[in-house]
């Protein structure tokens, strides 16, 4: 089964099953859509972004290369970068998704510069500084789900009665919980096992891009 055959993209599945991918917190986290719990929003966003990138690689739309570079004396430039290169045909991701957005951003960098790092692509996607940059990634995926009619935006006076800006209908929750998470977890475990250095660099660059946008 291809990742594009699922009702939800990998990043959407991670968001809808957030407690399966991020540690729980008591405050200042992301309020889960499908339960009463709260998880570490920054951690969840990093996992969602990593899944979107690895899913595009799995579908043959991105090449990911760990590229070494010479460190100059007294320079803070890292000694290696993770390069994204669009290749092949774009996968048939459903509509407004993080997977499509990252592929588009990487393609723009590639057209202008020839290549770009994960850190630059994610930084560009975030667009602007904010107190909690991880919220941009989650909000983007939430609005994508709403565009596909999976989520219902909470508007007007109803906002006062809800802690979250979207409602996930029971039928959508049931569908989300029925989807196998194995293929998504396999993306992570395969990368960790076969290319552990690449996996660490991937998480580090996403994390740094988010921290670069704090402001």
């Amino acid at each position: 089964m291809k990742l594009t055959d699922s009702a939800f993209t990998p990043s959407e599945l991670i968001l809808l099953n957030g407690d399966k991918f991020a540690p729980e917190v008591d405050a200042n986290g992301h309020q889960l859509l499908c339960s009463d719990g709260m998880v570490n929003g920054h951690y969840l966003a990093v996992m969602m972004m990593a899944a979107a990138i690895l899913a595009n690689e799995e579908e043959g739309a991105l090449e990911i290369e760990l590229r070494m570079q010479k460190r100059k004396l007294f320079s803070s430039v890292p000694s290696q970068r993770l390069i994204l290169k669009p290749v092949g045909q774009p996968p048939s991701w459903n509509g407004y998704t993080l997977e499509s957005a990252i592929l588009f951003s990487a393609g723009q960098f590639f057209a202008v510069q020839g290549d770009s790092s994960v850190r630059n692509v994610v930084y560009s996607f975030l667009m602007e500084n904010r107190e909690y940059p991880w919220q941009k990634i989650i909000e983007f995926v939430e609005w994508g789900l709403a565009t596909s009619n999976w989520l219902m935006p909470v508007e007007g006076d109803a906002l006062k009665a809800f802690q979250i800006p979207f409602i996930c209908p029971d039928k959508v929750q049931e569908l989300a919980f029925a989807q196998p998470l194995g293929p998504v977890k396999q993306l992570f475990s395969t990368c960790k096992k076969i290319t552990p250095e690449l996996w660490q660099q991937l998480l580090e660059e996403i994390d740094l891009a988010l921290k670069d946008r704090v402001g």
Side-chain angles (χ1 to χ4, degrees):
M1 175 180 170
K2 297 181 65 177
L3 294 171
T4 50
D5 293 334
S6 173
F8 304 102
T9 70
S11 63
E12 291 171 343
L13 275 176
I14 291 174
L15 178 64
L16 294 170
N17 294 273
D19 56 335
K20 303 292 194 304
F21 293 92
E24 292 188 8
V25 294
D26 295 325
N28 299 322
H30 168 67
Q31 178 66 52
L32 296 171
L33 289 166
C34 301
S35 71
D36 295 330
M38 184 178 290
V39 298
N40 184 314
H42 181 96
Y43 189 97
L44 185 67
V46 171
M47 291 296 102
M48 290 165 64
M49 186 62 73
I53 292 170
L54 292 175
N56 275 306
E57 181 192 37
E58 176 70 16
E59 292 295 319
L62 275 181
E63 285 183 356
I64 307 176
E65 177 191 351
L66 188 60
R67 186 175 298 176
M68 305 300 295
Q69 55 188 22
K70 291 182 178 180
R71 184 189 290 272
K72 296 179 180 179
L73 191 62
F74 306 122
S75 173
S76 60
V77 176
S79 59
Q80 59 186 14
R81 295 188 305 156
L82 202 57
I83 302 299
L84 298 180
K85 178 181 178 182
V87 293
Q89 291 290 337
S92 55
W93 301 118
N94 294 330
Y96 183 178
T97 64
L98 187 60
E99 285 74 9
S100 292
I102 287 302
L103 195 58
F104 178 76
S105 183
Q108 285 190 312
F109 270 105
F110 185 74
V112 175
Q113 301 178 191
D115 61 42
S116 185
S117 67
V118 166
R119 185 175 182 176
N120 287 343
V121 169
V122 175
Y123 181 87
S124 175
F125 166 80
L126 294 171
M127 294 184 65
E128 60 187 11
N129 294 352
R130 56 196 296 178
E131 185 177 5
Y132 301 112
W134 56 265
Q135 292 177 339
K136 164 72 176 185
I137 294 173
I138 290 175
E139 288 168 3
F140 185 90
V141 177
E142 286 176 335
W143 277 111
L145 287 165
T147 301
S148 299
N149 296 318
W150 294 120
L151 298 181
M152 298 167 53
V154 179
E155 299 174 330
D157 293 339
L159 277 171
K160 299 176 183 178
F162 292 90
Q163 295 181 343
I164 54 177
F166 294 93
I167 295 174
C168 187
D170 291 343
K171 289 184 178 180
V172 178
Q173 290 186 35
E174 292 172 7
L175 179 61
F177 292 157
Q179 300 298 305
L181 299 180
V184 178
K185 293 181 178 181
Q186 188 68 36
L187 285 174
F188 296 156
S189 61
T190 298
C191 188
K192 288 179 189 177
K193 183 177 180 180
I194 297 177
T195 53
E197 192 174 4
L198 187 151
W199 169 253
Q200 290 299 325
Q201 186 72 14
L202 175 63
L203 299 187
E204 181 179 330
E205 291 199 25
I206 296 171
D207 178 67
L208 288 171
L210 284 163
K211 290 176 178 176
D212 288 343
R213 281 299 193 185
V214 174

